[in-house]
Amino acid sequence: MGHSEPSLMYVLYILILLIVSFNLCTNGQKLPTENEKEEIVVDDLLPKEVVVIGAGIAGLAAARRLSADKQNFTVKVYEARRDRYGGRIWTDKLTNMKARGAEVDLGGSALSVISKENPLIELAEKFDLKVASVQKLQFIIPWKKISYSGDDLSKITHQAAQILGQAVNESKTEKIEVSMKEAIDKVLGKRETEDLDSAAAHLVRCLPSYILDNYSSRNYKPENIDVGYDKLLLDGMGELIDRLVSGSTEEPPLHLNLNKAARQIKVDKGRRKVLVRFHGGVQVAADIVVVAVPVSVIASGELLFEPDLPKKYQLALHEISISAGNKVIVEFEHAFWSAEYGVFTRAVRTDAERGNLQTWVNVNNLIGHPVLIGLLFGQPAVEFEILNPEEAKNYVIDVLNEMFGEDLVKQGGKVVRFQHSKWVTDPLSLGASTYPKVGSDPGLWDTFSQPLCPYIYFAGEHTSFEAHGTLHGAYNSGIRVGDQILTGLCETLRKEEERRIEEARRKKEEQKNATKDDKLDDSLDDDVNIDEDEDDTVEEVAQSKKEKTEL
Ligand SMILES: Cc1cc2nc3c(=O)[nH]c(=O)nc-3n(C[C@H](O)[C@H](O)[C@H](O)COP(=O)(O)OP(=O)(O)OC[C@H]3O[C@@H](n4cnc5c(N)ncnc54)[C@H](O)[C@@H]3O)c2cc1C
């Protein structure tokens, strides 16, 4: 037989065969090319790239947790600030190189001992950092020239706790949710007769939850009454943050980039990547992004998401409130205040003064330098930021004069150092810490503890109601995110979802079959009725019906 050209029909036949067999093999999907195949295999073997945005304690804790698994994850942290990391932890040694940390802590520094297991106390011990208790409070009512401490103060504190408890309980019976201020004022309206009662009332009015007019009474825990017995790190919270970043002999330093303000987080499903765009045009691609910036910064629109955050997250963004808070640090030539107390708190006479430098920490007792650190909350914290340095200093001296008496303050000599924070107008914090305002649901905080699988996770003090607004709450959130990623939470959730869908599909199928059977029975009945006259048995009709459906 001679060699001949294949006919057109033959070519078509081969083509159809090829298409059919191709589809059978691939189940209708395009097979990867050799290169793509290699890329997928290599991709799965490579460690996942995690980008953490924000080098506050939450972001750093997440990065530290993840970098323990070097085989499976590479972690890079990007921080917007040019000259420091730590966020709302700021041990400002740059302004005063000789200072010991605790005297230049302008942000969060007190490790709460209300929650018995504060992980940061444990961590400080692990890093060999000295922790000291801020012992003994003196409560001053300046216009009465009275002060309380020791047993008297214990009685007052006990009464204050009762007032709080009563206020919270009574407010729960109200139909309309009220603020802590309203709840407390209602109780106080019925009391304030004896002196001690009145002192307790003043003490209650010093609490931040009272000062923040809108703090929800339903979400306040009276057992959290804080009379200043917190712990401080003598070398400052910045030292603990430094250790998190620098690691140890077993743990290499974190890969940290300063001066990188994230502008947009974009999910690229096609590439199975998430892209982070920074101000200035730089862009990085990662497998996972941990967003550890303050909720107020996200809510301000400074950080954009593509696609937009789901509705639930957007609601949380706008419903979670952030308080105003600031610190003032004053160093004198000599300590004029009593060495007997670790904290001084003053009562105030008017609503406008609430939160206005009511509490001062005696740093001299801790590190032997004549330094006082004052706290501002609420509206006074906002207004303090707009004073010029001279005005601010005079303002502070006036408060101290009223509190301790002018003659005593004069004994301190000159003010040799004066510093204060501006957390409210700082565009990278826009406030101090989150709190539940009247009407907000604690569940909003927990929204952010759920990742947007598989690409975006959230860390920060605002991502869990349990210890919101605290240092240890922020730290725990970072550890939680680290664990969520390490244990493959998104993969588990995906499998659960698949199982749920499969289960629903199976149930639907069963229902469909059951309906079919019912219809079959109904039509059998019909057939029985119809065939009654023909004397067929039910079994015979059923058999003929079965034969019909099988066909
Ligand atoms: C004055 C003050 C006193 C406080 N006192 C106490 C206290 O005594 N005890 C206590 O438990 N808590 C206290 N707190 C609260 C505590 O400091 C915070 O809850 C905690 O530090 C929050 O940590 P975080 O990691 O969630 O957020 P942050 O520390 O705010 O970290 C977020 C980081 O993200 C960065 N960032 C923002 N935007 C971007 C962007 N677009 N791109 C990249 N990076 C970005 C920020 O610069 C920052 O470094 C206080 C807070 C303040 C302000």
Side-chain angles (χ1 to χ4, degrees), residues 53-59 78-81 84-89 106-112 118 230 232 260-263 278-279 292-294 297 302-303 325-327 375-376 421 423 427-429 431-433 459-462 468-472 474-475 477:
I53 303 173
I57 192 167
Y78 292 89
E79 164 59 44
R81 293 180 201 271
R84 69 175 187 88
Y85 46 83
R88 279 170 276 170
I89 291 172
L106 281 164
S109 62
L111 303 179
S112 167
N118 189 326
D230 285 329
L232 291 176
K260 284 275 173 293
R263 182 71 184 109
F278 295 94
H279 279 283
V293 308
V297 172
E302 183 49 32
L303 186 57
N326 272 311
K327 279 189 175 176
L375 309 177
L376 288 145
S421 58
W423 295 109
L428 298 173
S429 62
S433 49
E461 56 91 2
H462 61 281
H468 64 273
T470 66
L471 293 164
H472 60 283
Y475 175 80
S477 76

Side-chain angles (χ1 to χ4, degrees), residues 473-509:
Y475 175 80
N476 282 343
S477 76
I479 298 294
R480 183 205 65 231
V481 163
D483 286 341
Q484 285 176 336
I485 296 172
L486 288 174
T487 56
L489 174 71
C490 281
E491 188 55 15
T492 311
L493 291 176
R494 190 185 63 76
K495 284 185 182 152
E496 267 171 23
E497 180 64 5
E498 269 177 14
R499 252 198 308 276
R500 206 185 52 75
I501 292 171
E502 178 53 28
E503 180 72 2
R505 197 198 55 76
R506 201 180 49 74
K507 275 199 181 134
K508 211 170 162 189
E509 194 68 22

Side-chain angles (χ1 to χ4, degrees), residues 140-300:
I140 304 168
I141 306 185
W143 65 95
K144 289 189 181 176
K145 301 215 180 315
I146 302 177
S147 62
Y148 298 92
S149 59
D151 287 348
D152 275 352
L153 185 62
S154 297
K155 280 184 208 149
I156 293 169
T157 309
H158 181 70
Q159 277 169 299
Q162 280 181 335
I163 294 171
L164 273 178
Q166 193 181 340
V168 170
N169 287 339
E170 286 182 11
S171 75
K172 279 185 187 148
T173 61
E174 301 272 344
K175 278 207 184 95
I176 301 166
E177 192 176 346
V178 295
S179 70
M180 278 302 285
K181 183 181 178 322
E182 286 169 291
I184 289 168
D185 284 349
K186 214 165 179 188
V187 173
L188 291 181
K190 300 176 206 152
R191 299 172 71 130
E192 266 192 293
T193 43
E194 296 158 34
D195 252 7
L196 279 186
D197 239 11
S198 133
H202 285 305
L203 186 61
V204 167
R205 287 188 179 123
C206 297
L207 295 173
S209 55
Y210 181 90
I211 291 158
L212 304 170
D213 281 329
N214 221 1
Y215 198 114
S216 158
S217 63
R218 286 208 185 141
N219 292 316
Y220 185 77
K221 293 181 185 153
E223 63 272 21
N224 283 3
I225 179 165
D226 186 349
V227 288
Y229 297 101
D230 285 329
K231 296 200 173 209
L232 291 176
L233 299 191
L234 295 186
D235 293 309
M237 270 306 285
E239 195 64 31
L240 185 137
I241 289 292
D242 284 347
R243 303 292 173 95
L244 272 180
V245 172
S246 60
S248 61
T249 38
E250 302 96 60
E251 300 166 322
L254 293 179
H255 193 307
L256 175 62
N257 304 273
L258 292 179
N259 201 13
K260 284 275 173 293
R263 182 71 184 109
Q264 191 196 35
I265 294 169
K266 183 178 175 179
V267 171
D268 184 345
K269 281 192 181 160
R271 284 173 63 197
R272 292 195 291 160
K273 291 277 180 193
V274 52
L275 310 175
V276 182
R277 293 205 172 109
F278 295 94
H279 279 283
V282 179
Q283 176 174 301
V284 295
D287 297 295
I288 292 171
V289 167
V290 177
V291 180
V293 308
V295 68
S296 42
V297 172
I298 308 177
S300 75

Side-chain angles (χ1 to χ4, degrees), residues 525-537 541:
D525 289 347
D526 291 348
D527 288 346
V528 171
N529 291 338
I530 294 162
D531 291 345
E532 236 170 18
D533 294 340
E534 294 169 15
D535 276 352
D536 275 351
T537 64
V541 176

Side-chain angles (χ1 to χ4, degrees), residues 311-491:
K311 287 266 174 309
K312 195 166 77 159
Y313 291 73
Q314 289 190 28
L315 179 74
L317 275 185
H318 294 101
E319 281 295 307
I320 294 177
S321 295
I322 188 146
S323 67
N326 272 311
K327 279 189 175 176
V328 173
I329 302 178
V330 204
E331 181 169 354
F332 290 86
E333 288 174 301
H334 320 282
F336 61 80
W337 52 94
S338 165
E340 213 182 310
Y341 307 108
V343 183
F344 305 96
T345 292
R346 67 174 181 125
V348 291
R349 264 183 287 198
T350 64
D351 271 3
E353 280 182 285
R354 288 185 285 121
N356 183 17
L357 297 168
Q358 285 188 264
T359 292
W360 290 85
V361 179
N362 174 5
V363 181
N364 194 38
N365 271 15
L366 300 171
I367 56 173
H369 293 175
V371 176
L372 283 173
I373 299 186
L375 309 177
L376 288 145
F377 289 107
Q379 194 54 24
V382 177
E383 286 167 12
F384 198 83
E385 292 194 11
I386 51 177
L387 299 179
N388 69 40
E390 206 45 39
E391 283 171 340
K393 205 196 291 184
N394 291 337
Y395 188 90
V396 166
I397 296 299
D398 283 349
V399 167
L400 292 175
N401 281 342
E402 205 222 332
M403 197 168 170
F404 295 100
E406 226 174 307
D407 291 343
L408 203 61
V409 176
K410 269 194 190 129
Q411 289 177 26
K414 281 195 207 122
V415 170
V416 293
R417 183 163 58 92
F418 183 78
Q419 271 175 280
H420 66 90
S421 58
K422 290 187 175 182
W423 295 109
V424 182
T425 47
D426 179 339
L428 298 173
S429 62
L430 295 172
S433 49
T434 60
Y435 74 96
K437 68 179 176 197
V438 171
S440 60
D441 170 6
L444 293 169
W445 274 255
D446 298 324
T447 302
F448 284 106
S449 64
Q450 298 152 27
L452 291 172
C453 283
Y455 302 108
I456 302 173
Y457 290 70
F458 297 90
E461 56 91 2
H462 61 281
T463 63
S464 156
F465 192 69
E466 175 64 23
H468 64 273
T470 66
L471 293 164
H472 60 283
Y475 175 80
N476 282 343
S477 76
I479 298 294
R480 183 205 65 231
V481 163
D483 286 341
Q484 285 176 336
I485 296 172
L486 288 174
T487 56
L489 174 71
C490 281
E491 188 55 15

